[in-house]
Amino acid sequence: MSTVLSETLTFECETGNYHTFCPISCVAWLYQKIEDSFFLVVGTKTCGYFLQNALGVMIFAEPRYAMAELEEGDISAQLNDYKELKRLCLQIKQDRNPSVIVWIGTCTTEIIKMDLEGMAPRLEAEIGIPLVVARANGLDYAFTQGEDTVLAAMAHRCPTKEKNFKRSDLHIEQDSKDTNGKSNEGLSKTFLSGLKEGPNKKLLKNTLVQNFFQFTKKSHVNGFNNDAQLKSKILKACNGEKEVKNDYGQGSQKAEFDGLQGQKKEKANHPPLVLFGSLPSTVTTQLTLELEKQGITVSGWLPSQRYTDLPVLGEGVYVCGVNPFLSRTATTLMRRQKCKLIGAPFPIGPDGTRAWIEKICSVFGIQPHGLDERESNIWNGLKEYLELVKGKSVFFMGDNLLEVSLARFLIRCGMIVYEIGIPYMDKRFQASELALLEKTCSEMGVPMPRIVEKPDNYNQIQRIRDLQPDLAITGMAHANPLEARGISTKWSVEFTFAQIHGFTNSRDILELVTRPLRRNQSLQGLGWTQLVKQNNVLQSKT
């Protein structure tokens, strides 16, 4: 079965089996990204063995994730699921006290119809910690979609614009004094009024209380004994205003403060922008700074480093993804939170990052500047890699849904892509990426690669045998068999954990791609061109 798009872009579907990791592996990077979280995987011993081996973290390291193992009594409904989960969550609260506990459902919870979504609200009210339920089970197409499920669940917990508090919502009663006799009115009795009730009520209260007491503690050091000064400082903190301190750490300089406020207004002259996708903090900082160079301010990231810092969503908020496997999150943000999605190529490679920035700028009516020079400088720094990959061929077997973006970048680098195998293709969410792929092939003068959705691995092996590509990017299950047949391979999972987004990380992509090619060159220098096994003896062909 095949469909043709724009007479050149061809999709095929082979309805093969899925050969990928289990999506619960998303815990590996999400628990590190959300620093105040705890992930509880509800599954069988098989899930525990997988996490132990795949994540490679020993129990002595006390990672912020755990297994709730289902036994025969759970599966046969002889035990009370609610009581067991409550006991585990109370133990987690006592030992770790996280800001959020994420329940990760597995295949077993789906099969026995365990009502995690029904138990979570009741248990959340009892233990006083938010519980987020995500069904990251093996019924998904690719292991990276586990992150998609978790982010879609967290999108429901983000504060909305209507539930944001205003300056007039804070009332302070001044009826008490501290133990030293200094007037500290408003420190003991505070209350919120005018807040709209909603699922994020606790989050807003916690954030407000943290800001309140943070500045209360500083007031003793900075000498804020005057009631008016103290109240003014607290109100500024609650409204997100920052004070610019002088060299001595006290007071504020009005001129500098006004200057910063002017810059802030100049940069923020566009609707709020929220980016979604789990990336290392260094990469999010790089992308944020790239947009700030164009005068675009990023209002927040989903997920944020702390659960209590989730971005504000709602009507009028624009969202843009950084990974091609987040289609479920994009749908949730549009339908549930009424956000506006910016359909842009993904910031992978210099060409993709530039197109991503240009698309966001075009939506906000901003003329981008300096991108030509920025992109050309990156390409100049990659010349040593480009000389090595130019004219080489690559075959994507399909594993992590990053295949289209990586193929587009490698075609721009001068490689020939025979086939792009992909477990699942959301043509609407990846429309801009597909258009950029078509444009790249046209500009580079290379044929459009075939895109095979849900590829059949047996058929792929036959095609690889006929095409004899220089490199096959595949899952770990097929790497060794292909190497034994003389095909150089690279694990696709390595691109998932590597830093590949943004301008500066393009070198890391080519470092991974060229590693087997450089290894082959080194072997050729030693007179070894191919390793074969004959008569149970490893020999060399020269």
Side-chain angles (χ1 to χ4, degrees):
M1 178 175 107
S2 65
T3 58
V4 179
L5 181 64
S6 302
E7 299 180 355
T8 53
L9 199 57
T10 304
F11 296 94
E12 298 184 7
C13 183
E14 293 184 340
T15 62
N17 294 324
Y18 307 132
H19 299 267
T20 182
F21 272 147
C22 179
I24 65 173
S25 58
C26 69
V27 175
W29 60 87
L30 286 178
Y31 91 91
Q32 298 183 59
K33 174 63 180 180
I34 311 173
E35 297 176 352
D36 56 349
S37 65
F38 193 97
F39 285 77
L40 183 64
V41 181
V42 185
T44 60
K45 281 184 169 61
T46 304
C47 306
Y49 294 145
F50 170 75
L51 284 178
Q52 183 68 58
N53 292 320
L55 273 62
V57 178
M58 296 299 293
I59 191 173
F60 306 109
E62 294 186 355
R64 284 180 290 103
Y65 64 87
M67 272 295 306
E69 289 188 359
L70 296 172
E71 300 178 353
E72 291 183 5
D74 300 295
I75 298 176
S76 60
Q78 294 178 0
L79 297 178
N80 190 314
D81 299 331
Y82 183 84
K83 290 182 179 179
E84 289 297 311
L85 287 174
K86 180 180 178 181
R87 180 182 62 82
L88 291 174
C89 290
L90 287 175
Q91 183 179 348
I92 293 171
K93 179 180 179 179
Q94 180 181 357
D95 296 342
R96 294 306 185 91
N97 194 27
S99 298
V100 61
I101 298 177
V102 182
W103 286 355
I104 302 293
T106 60
C107 303
T108 310
T109 60
E110 292 285 338
I111 294 171
I112 67 176
K113 307 298 182 184
M114 183 178 289
D115 187 18
L116 296 177
E117 286 86 353
M119 289 185 286
R122 177 184 166 193
L123 185 54
E124 177 179 334
E126 287 193 36
I127 67 175
I129 295 180
L131 296 176
V132 176
V133 180
R135 295 185 175 272
N137 51 67
L139 304 178
D140 276 331
Y141 301 101
F143 71 95
T144 49
Q145 288 184 290
E147 174 187 331
D148 191 19
T149 306
V150 174
L151 296 192
M154 282 196 172
H156 293 282
R157 299 302 188 101
C158 291
T160 59
K161 298 177 71 174
E162 291 78 8
K163 295 167 187 172
N164 245 359
F165 52 82
K166 301 178 183 179
R167 178 187 296 252
S168 59
D169 294 331
L170 182 66
H171 299 272
I172 301 179
E173 292 186 2
Q174 305 178 355
D175 294 326
S176 64
K177 293 187 178 181
D178 63 2
T179 54
N180 296 328
K182 299 179 181 178
S183 62
N184 243 356
E185 289 82 354
L187 296 186
S188 62
K189 294 186 179 180
T190 59
F191 63 93
L192 294 172
S193 66
L195 278 179
K196 295 185 178 181
E197 299 294 334
N200 300 293
K201 179 182 176 184
K202 291 183 179 179
L203 174 62
L204 292 175
K205 285 187 176 181
N206 290 340
T207 306
L208 185 60
V209 171
Q210 288 175 2
N211 289 335
F212 182 83
F213 284 106
Q214 177 183 0
F215 281 86
T216 300
K217 293 176 182 178
K218 292 182 179 179
S219 64
H220 294 287
V221 179
N222 296 334
F224 284 94
N225 295 326
N226 183 275
D227 301 343
Q229 290 180 351
L230 180 59
K231 185 190 295 185
S232 174
K233 191 171 181 68
I234 294 173
L235 290 173
K236 286 183 178 181
C238 295
N239 283 308
E241 299 181 17
K242 297 182 179 179
E243 184 174 12
V244 183
K245 296 185 179 181
N246 57 23
D247 296 338
Y248 301 98
Q250 298 178 352
S252 63
Q253 297 177 349
K254 188 177 184 302
E256 293 183 12
F257 182 75
D258 292 341
L260 287 177
Q261 288 292 93
Q263 292 179 12
K264 182 178 179 182
K265 289 181 181 179
E266 186 176 330
K267 284 187 177 180
N269 191 20
H270 60 80
L273 172 65
V274 173
L275 304 178
F276 61 94
S278 177
L279 298 177
S281 301
T282 54
V283 180
T284 59
T285 301
Q286 292 172 9
L287 295 178
T288 301
L289 292 176
E290 293 291 348
L291 290 174
E292 286 185 355
K293 291 179 182 178
Q294 308 299 328
I296 298 176
T297 301
V298 178
S299 301
W301 281 82
L302 178 68
S304 54
Q305 274 194 282
R306 299 186 63 82
Y307 177 78
T308 53
D309 296 332
L310 287 175
V312 177
L313 302 176
E315 292 188 19
V317 176
Y318 284 78
V319 294
C320 187
V322 296
N323 279 319
F325 47 77
L326 300 175
S327 57
R328 188 177 297 145
T329 303
T331 302
T332 302
L333 292 173
M334 288 188 295
R335 293 181 179 177
R336 301 292 183 179
Q337 300 289 2
K338 309 302 180 183
C339 298
K340 297 181 180 180
L341 178 67
I342 300 177
F346 302 102
I348 296 176
D351 52 338
T353 304
R354 174 180 176 173
W356 181 73
I357 296 174
E358 288 178 340
K359 179 65 176 181
I360 296 176
C361 289
S362 66
V363 171
F364 292 148
I366 298 175
Q367 183 65 33
H369 57 85
L371 292 180
D372 289 334
E373 182 181 359
R374 179 76 168 128
E375 184 183 4
S376 61
N377 290 338
I378 297 298
W379 286 116
N380 291 334
L382 300 176
K383 283 185 177 179
E384 56 177 322
Y385 293 102
L386 299 180
E387 294 174 359
L388 183 59
V389 302
K390 187 175 182 180
K392 296 290 193 301
S393 57
V394 61
F395 191 105
F396 287 88
M397 291 194 69
D399 185 49
N400 57 10
L401 303 188
L402 293 170
E403 288 81 14
V404 175
S405 301
L406 291 174
R408 179 257 307 153
F409 169 62
L410 294 181
I411 291 174
R412 179 66 69 179
C413 292
M415 298 190 75
I416 301 171
V417 179
Y418 287 144
E419 178 175 313
I420 303 175
I422 186 168
Y424 168 73
M425 168 67 72
D426 189 320
K427 298 182 182 68
R428 293 177 301 172
F429 186 58
Q430 296 205 46
S432 297
E433 185 64 64
L434 292 171
L436 183 59
L437 171 64
E438 188 175 1
K439 177 183 177 182
T440 301
C441 292
S442 176
E443 293 177 351
M444 298 300 294
V446 297
M448 187 72 189
R450 59 190 295 177
I451 301 177
V452 182
E453 189 175 359
K454 291 186 289 187
D456 185 289
N457 288 150
Y458 179 81
N459 295 336
Q460 279 189 321
I461 295 298
Q462 305 307 315
R463 292 194 291 268
I464 290 176
R465 180 178 296 176
D466 295 336
L467 295 170
Q468 289 294 308
D470 296 299
L471 180 67
I473 298 180
T474 175
M476 289 192 290
H478 304 100
N480 286 344
L482 288 174
E483 289 281 354
R485 288 161 176 77
I487 304 296
S488 299
T489 62
K490 193 62 185 172
W491 292 349
S492 55
V493 70
E494 293 188 62
F495 296 94
T496 306
F497 292 97
Q499 297 184 10
I500 62 175
H501 295 76
F503 284 117
T504 57
N505 293 318
S506 304
R507 176 179 292 270
D508 292 349
I509 304 176
L510 291 178
E511 178 69 25
L512 291 174
V513 170
T514 59
R515 192 169 296 165
L517 303 179
R518 285 182 275 119
R519 179 195 62 200
N520 293 341
Q521 280 189 346
S522 300
L523 291 175
Q524 288 176 2
L526 298 174
W528 295 66
T529 58
Q530 186 179 6
L531 295 176
V532 295
K533 192 173 184 180
Q534 296 177 351
N535 299 325
N536 295 326
V537 177
L538 197 62
Q539 301 176 349
S540 66
K541 273 188 177 182
T542 58

